[in-house]
Amino acid sequence: MENKSLDAPYGENGILNQMNFEDVPITKRLFTDDGHMPSTIPVIDGDTVKHVPPPADAVAMKSTFRPHFIETNHSRNVLIEDVKIRNTPFWIVHPLNSENVLIRDLDIYSDKTKDFEATGWNNDDGTNPESSKNVVMERNRVTVSDDGAAIKAGRNVNGRLHRQPSENIIVRDSLYNNDNIGTYSAAVSMGSEMSGGIRNVFIEHNEFGGPGLAMILKIKTNSYRGGFVEKIYLRHNLLTMARSAMVQLDSNYSETVSFPNADIFNPTVRNIYLDDVNTAPTMTPGRTTFQFSSAASRSPVENVYYRNSTFHTSNTLQAAFNSNKNIKNLVVENVTYIDPSTGAETVYNTTPLNVLNETVAHAGDQTVQLTPVSTGNPNVINKVSGHSFTITGQVDLATYPGFVSGGTARIFVDRSGTAIPVTMNADGSFTSGTITLNDDQYWYTDRHYVALNLFNGININTIVYHVAADAGTS
């Protein structure tokens, strides 16, 4: 298995993560085949590369890292076309810090089944645009054991401080397959290295399948990352086989090497659009569209639109949200599930559950009207007159008259996974149990997070309020 030690005498994953955490300058991250100190190292100076002596206090280490196969770095106007590639050990085509990149007519095949069986992991991603913009990947045939196209933007400290977003990326007119049934990989992934941000990605007119493919799209981040994944458009695609789902939204992805109290960032995943994304009748039975294994109530996955699509399955769309319902503004329009054994069709349409504009915090005899967080007002902080209070409000029963009999309201505070009890009345009004704020948290700066989660089947919404106690209150 991969070494993650923080004090190994050679270069491996733990050592590199430690350097990231400490923001060690790139010029001091020296890894060579046998650990020798090179006489010069390349340094980018404007549009040129200079070779200079390494820093006097730098230490070279023997490398155990597997190399990228094709990598461009700080490059513009790149064409990679009509190349046949077989069985590489690591990321296959890796545009890094590059602009105006066209990757076209590639034939990539990598069977890492034996490597996976021996080590338990593999990293033969097909294409990996990282911190790059204006990238087109078209007419490619990619069969790998890991992710077919993995979009990245740096990890943790390095990504937040030194990387640009990956943006304006098109993946089109291609075939992505996975033959390794021992892995859990996507045709297109975003993250988990995405701390510089990922936005404006268009995935269209592709076919996805293979017995080892887990899903079309995997978005993975966590509270160590920072950054964002937003404005992702999946449209006019066909999925023939998938072992898990169509799309995975995972904002609590496992951290490779974690450091204490470094998980202070709210994962941001928003504005995800699925339009005319269909499955073939050969789709793996019993699956559902989303795998929604994790999300943070304080920063729910936001604005997910699923429209005009057909999914062949004996399962339900609701099953996608059985384990996690921390989603904000889920919209489903004209989505048809077809049971392959009976031909029965179920059509789904939904808009988000909402509350009337009367949500109030009560601390003693004082009340505060609560304003929710929104994309246009992301930093609103509601000042309450104490560290303990209750909340009252009312669900909009005009739109969802059956909510009281069939729905559920829950409140989560900060990072707790235990819900605050909520009492619901026949008119849709509700009252929470006591909410207590604790400022003595390593992540606390100027606000706490109170999330009101409403659900009734696939009618789901999460409304987040940022709150803080007035100075001098108890």
Side-chain angles (χ1 to χ4, degrees):
M1 291 296 291
E2 190 173 20
N3 192 349
K4 301 176 184 178
S5 170
L6 300 182
D7 55 6
Y10 57 88
E12 43 74 42
N13 206 359
I15 293 295
L16 198 60
N17 275 267
Q18 181 76 51
M19 290 179 169
N20 185 324
F21 182 70
E22 296 175 353
D23 196 24
V24 174
I26 296 297
T27 55
K28 294 185 179 182
R29 302 186 197 187
L30 303 180
F31 304 100
T32 57
D33 55 354
D34 59 1
H36 75 276
M37 177 65 71
S39 58
T40 63
I41 58 174
V43 175
I44 295 174
D45 183 7
D47 290 333
T48 64
V49 176
K50 296 181 178 180
H51 290 268
V52 301
D57 58 345
V59 177
M61 303 181 76
K62 181 179 179 179
S63 171
T64 61
F65 301 119
R66 291 161 296 153
H68 309 136
F69 187 64
I70 299 174
E71 180 179 76
T72 65
N73 195 350
H74 289 87
S75 302
R76 297 190 191 96
N77 305 328
V78 176
L79 173 63
I80 303 172
E81 183 178 28
D82 196 21
V83 181
K84 180 178 180 179
I85 305 171
R86 292 293 183 266
N87 295 324
T88 67
F90 195 57
W91 296 355
I92 297 174
V93 179
H94 182 215
L96 174 63
N97 305 316
S98 296
E99 182 177 351
N100 303 337
V101 179
L102 177 57
I103 301 171
R104 183 169 62 192
D105 294 323
L106 300 193
D107 178 359
I108 295 174
Y109 185 86
S110 178
D111 182 2
K112 307 303 292 181
T113 303
K114 292 182 180 179
D115 288 353
F116 181 82
E117 291 173 349
T119 65
W121 54 284
N122 63 290
N123 298 109
D124 60 337
D125 294 344
T127 54
N128 293 74
E130 182 169 10
S131 297
S132 296
K133 68 178 181 179
N134 304 337
V135 179
V136 175
M137 298 180 281
E138 65 181 9
R139 305 198 310 252
N140 298 307
R141 298 178 61 87
V142 179
T143 299
V144 291
S145 301
D146 206 353
D147 298 332
I151 301 170
K152 301 180 180 293
R155 175 183 291 185
N156 297 358
V157 175
N158 284 175
R160 292 189 296 271
L161 295 182
H162 307 298
R163 288 292 182 84
Q164 298 299 314
S166 279
E167 58 186 341
N168 308 336
I169 296 174
I170 298 174
V171 183
R172 67 187 177 199
D173 300 324
S174 297
L175 175 64
Y176 288 86
N177 282 316
N178 188 311
D179 289 345
N180 186 357
I181 61 174
T183 61
Y184 192 73
S185 300
V188 181
S189 69
M190 297 176 193
S192 64
E193 301 88 350
M194 42 61 66
S195 300
I198 298 171
R199 63 186 170 213
N200 301 336
V201 180
F202 301 84
I203 306 163
E204 55 190 23
H205 299 290
N206 303 287
E207 182 175 323
F208 307 99
L213 186 70
M215 70 264 313
I216 293 178
L217 174 64
K218 178 189 290 187
I219 297 176
K220 43 189 177 177
T221 180
N222 59 38
S223 297
Y224 295 87
R225 294 290 190 247
F228 52 83
V229 178
E230 63 181 9
K231 298 181 181 177
I232 311 301
Y233 302 87
L234 187 66
R235 58 196 189 187
H236 314 311
N237 295 287
L238 177 65
L239 176 62
T240 60
M241 299 178 69
R243 298 174 58 211
S244 181
M246 179 179 286
V247 174
Q248 182 186 63
L249 305 170
D250 188 352
S251 58
N252 193 25
Y253 187 75
S254 178
E255 181 70 1
T256 306
V257 180
S258 59
F259 293 89
N261 300 344
D263 57 332
I264 61 175
F265 303 93
N266 293 330
T268 300
V269 178
R270 61 192 176 199
N271 302 338
I272 312 298
Y273 301 86
L274 286 70
D275 290 286
D276 186 29
V277 185
N278 304 304
T279 68
T282 56
M283 174 65 185
T284 312
R287 303 302 185 254
T288 187
T289 302
F290 298 100
Q291 185 182 72
F292 196 40
S293 55
S294 75
S297 61
R298 66 188 183 277
S299 182
V301 173
E302 180 177 1
N303 299 340
V304 177
Y305 297 86
Y306 181 29
R307 301 177 292 209
N308 302 320
S309 301
T310 300
F311 198 106
H312 293 81
T313 182
S314 57
N315 212 330
T316 66
L317 180 55
Q318 181 177 340
F321 304 97
N322 283 346
S323 62
N324 183 18
K325 299 177 176 65
N326 290 318
I327 192 166
K328 177 179 179 180
N329 194 36
L330 170 67
V331 177
V332 179
E333 297 177 352
N334 190 33
V335 169
T336 302
Y337 269 36
I338 300 177
D339 189 322
S341 61
T342 65
E345 297 187 4
T346 303
V347 179
Y348 293 97
N349 291 280
T350 185
T351 54
L353 285 159
N354 279 304
V355 295
L356 302 177
N357 190 27
E358 298 174 359
T359 306
V360 175
H362 303 264
D365 58 357
Q366 295 184 318
T367 61
V368 175
Q369 179 85 33
L370 295 178
T371 301
V373 174
S374 65
T375 303
N377 194 5
N379 291 310
V380 58
I381 300 177
N382 300 277
K383 295 290 186 177
V384 297
S385 56
H387 281 78
S388 294
F389 55 93
T390 61
I391 287 179
T392 61
Q394 189 167 14
V395 176
D396 180 8
L397 296 186
T399 305
Y400 288 99
F403 181 81
V404 172
S405 60
T408 300
R410 307 181 297 177
I411 287 178
F412 295 95
V413 179
D414 293 331
R415 298 181 170 212
S416 175
T418 302
I420 301 293
V422 174
T423 301
M424 182 68 63
N425 302 312
D427 64 351
S429 62
F430 61 85
T431 302
S432 78
T434 300
I435 296 168
T436 301
L437 306 180
N438 179 7
D439 296 351
D440 187 20
Q441 307 284 346
Y442 67 89
W443 47 261
Y444 181 75
T445 52
D446 61 353
R447 71 196 69 184
H448 292 272
Y449 307 89
V450 176
L452 173 62
N453 180 232
L454 307 170
F455 59 91
N456 185 6
I458 60 168
N459 304 318
I460 305 173
N461 204 7
T462 304
I463 302 162
V464 180
Y465 304 94
H466 292 173
V467 297
D470 276 332
T473 60
S474 59

